Amino acid sequence: MASRSPEPAVDAPAAPAAPAKTHAVVLTLMVTVFLSLLDSQIVATALPRVVNDLGGMDQFAWVTTGYLIGGSAAVPVHGKLGDLFGRKRVFITSVVVFLLGSALCGLAQTMGQLIAFRVVQGIGSGGLFISVLAILGEMFSPREGVRYYGWLSLTFGVASLAGPTLGGVLTELADWRWVFFVNLPIGAVILLVLSTLLHLPARRRKAHIDYTGVVLLVLAIVGLNLLTGWAGVSYAWSSPVIIGLAAGSALATVLFVLSQRRAVDPVVPLRLFTNRTFTTVVILGFISGFVGLGLINYLVLWLQTVLTLDVQESGFALTAMMLAVVLTSYVSAKVIGRTGSYRWFPALSMVVFAIAAVLFSTAGPSTGILLAVVYMLLFGIAGGLNTQALSIAARNTASTRDIGAVQGTATLLRQLGTALGVSFFAAVMNSRLGTGLHYRLGTLGVHIDKAGSLSPEGVAQLSAPLRLELAGVYADSLRFIFYAVIPLVLIGLVASLFLKDVKLAGGHAPTEPETSLDAEPAGSVDRSDS
C-alpha cells in the first residue's frame, strides 16, 4: 500500500500550561463525559418508576429516543459552532443547556413534558461530548493527546457499569426525579472549574452562520432516527409514514449537501472529504457503528433465545463484552501513543469482526456458554480496536480551525451507522423469524399469531422439546444477521487499507486565552494528505 508519509504540518506550537492546571482541566473534562454518558444509562433503570408515576406506557421508548435524537442533531452543529466562536463558549453553553434540561426533567409532571425536556437535555449532552473531543484536540497535539483519548475509554466503561446501579440506588432511596437532579451540583462544579482554568486560543473568525445547513441537517437527522426507530416496529415498511420519512430524509440530505457547496461557513465543509484519510475514517466509522453498536441488542437476544440464558446471565456476558471494548480501546490508544501510528488497528478490527461473525453464524443451541462468551469477547475486542484509532486518525487530519467539524462529522456518521444497523438487522431477522416459526412450530400445532410471532405465554406453555425447537428457529433467523455482517466488514477491511501511514503530529497545542479577534489564529494550517 502507500508508503510512509512525512509527519504532517501542525499548528504553531506554544508552551504548555502548568501540569497541575492541565490535569485539573482534563479531569474535569472526563467528569463531563462521564456525566453525559451516565445519563443515558442511569435513566433506563428508573423508567419503570417514571411510568408508574406519570403514566404513558405507550410513550415509554420516547424518553430515550428523544434524548438520542437531540444528541445526534447537536453533535455536528456544536462542533462547527466551536470552530467559529471558540470551544470554551460552546462548551459552557452546552453545560448550561444540559443542566437546564436536567432540572426541567426532574420537575416534569407529564410524560409529554418529560420527553420534550429530554430532547433539550440531549441537545446539551451532544454538545458536551463533541466539545470535549474538540477541546482535547485543541489543547494537545495528536500524539500528545493520545493518552487522554485512552482516558475517555475508561470513562465510558465506568459510566456503562455504574449507570444502572446508580439509577437503581437513587430511585429506591430518594425518587426517580433525583436521577436528573443529581446532575445539577456536578454540573455546577464543572462550570466553576472550567470557567476558571480552561484557556484556549482564539478561534473566532468573521462568522457566517449557516442557518440553512443547520435546519436541513437537523431535519435529515431527525427523519433518519425516526425512520430507523419506527420502520418494521411501529409501522410497516410499506406504510405511508415510513415511505414519507424515507423520502423526506433523502430530500433533506440532498438539499443539505447542495447547501454546503454554497455556504460561506458550512456546517460540514465538503473540502474535508478531499482528504483521503478523513473520508476513510468516516466510512470505517459508519461501518463500525453499523456492526459494532447496531448488533449489540441482537447478541443479547441470541444469548436469551438460543442459549435460553436469563436476563442476569446475559447481562453478565454483555458486561464482559463491554469491558473488552474498554480495555482494548485503552490499550490500543497506549500503543498508538508510543508508536505514533494508527493505520493497522482499523484493519485488524475488521478481521476480528469477521471472525466473530463467522463463529456466531455456525453456533446454535448446543454451543456452550463459555464458548459463546468467548465469541462475545471477540466482538468487544473488534469494537475496541478501532474506537480510539479512528478518533485519533480524524484529529490528525484536521487543522485547529476544523477540529469541531471533523470530530462532529465523524461522530455523526458513526451514530447514523448505529441507527441504520439496528433497523437493518431487525428487518433481516424478522423476515426469517416469522417463516421459521410457521414452518417449524406451526406445523407441530403451536399457535403462531397473525404477526408471525409467539407470545411469552405461548413460550411458557411449550414442552422441553418444543422449546429446543424454538431455540433452533431463533438461531437460524439470527444466523442471517451474522451472514450480513461478513460482507460489510470485508468492505471495511478493504477501506481500511486506504489509510495512509501518517505519523501523529507532535508538539504542544496553543494555549493562549480566547479573544474576540476576527482573524484566523497564526499557524493554522490545513493538513491534507490527499
Side-chain angles (χ1 to χ4, degrees), residues 39 43 124 126 135 194 201 206 213 242 312 353 359 370 379 389 425 443:
D39 206 78
V43 173
I135 287 171
L194 294 185
K206 186 176 181 181
I242 297 304
Q312 187 176 26
F353 266 136
L359 291 173
L370 290 179
F379 264 112
F425 293 137
T443 55

Side-chain angles (χ1 to χ4, degrees), residues 10 19-20 38 52 63 67 114 117 233 237 271 326 342-343 356 363 408-409 419 440 443 499 506 522:
V10 296
L38 181 71
N52 288 337
V63 177
Y67 183 79
L114 179 61
F117 299 149
V233 180
W237 282 88
R271 59 183 166 76
V326 172
Y342 50 76
R343 181 185 182 190
T409 303
R440 292 179 60 174
T443 55
L499 275 177

Side-chain angles (χ1 to χ4, degrees), residues 437-491:
L437 289 174
H438 275 293
Y439 278 96
R440 292 179 60 174
L441 288 178
T443 55
L444 297 176
V446 177
H447 174 68
I448 308 298
D449 63 26
K450 293 181 179 180
S453 62
L454 190 59
S455 67
E457 295 78 10
V459 173
Q461 295 173 1
L462 294 179
S463 63
L466 287 178
R467 288 189 182 185
L468 184 61
E469 189 71 20
L470 176 63
V473 171
Y474 271 99
D476 289 343
S477 300
L478 290 166
R479 183 170 290 121
F480 281 85
I481 287 180
F482 301 116
Y483 288 158
V485 166
I486 296 170
L488 287 171
V489 295
L490 290 179
I491 292 172

Side-chain angles (χ1 to χ4, degrees), residues 107-137:
L107 297 172
Q109 300 300 309
T110 67
M111 186 62 81
Q113 290 179 4
L114 179 61
I115 292 169
F117 299 149
R118 281 286 278 171
V119 174
V120 175
Q121 193 187 28
I123 291 171
S125 176
L128 290 181
F129 188 74
I130 196 61
S131 293
V132 169
L133 287 177
I135 287 171
L136 289 175

Side-chain angles (χ1 to χ4, degrees), residues 402-440:
D402 285 331
I403 292 174
V406 165
Q407 295 285 17
T409 303
T411 302
L412 172 63
L413 266 294
R414 182 183 283 266
Q415 291 176 342
L416 289 180
T418 300
L420 292 174
V422 171
S423 181
F424 173 77
F425 293 137
V428 171
M429 190 195 74
N430 291 335
S431 67
R432 306 290 308 182
L433 183 60
T435 302
L437 289 174
H438 275 293
Y439 278 96
R440 292 179 60 174

Side-chain angles (χ1 to χ4, degrees), residues 5-13 141-142 275 395-400 502-507 523-529:
S5 298
E7 185 172 316
V10 296
D11 299 321
S141 69
N275 184 300
R395 168 63 186 98
N396 202 45
T397 68
S399 65
T400 303
V502 180
K503 277 286 187 180
L504 295 184
S524 183
V525 180
D526 283 323
R527 292 193 297 276
S528 175
D529 62 359

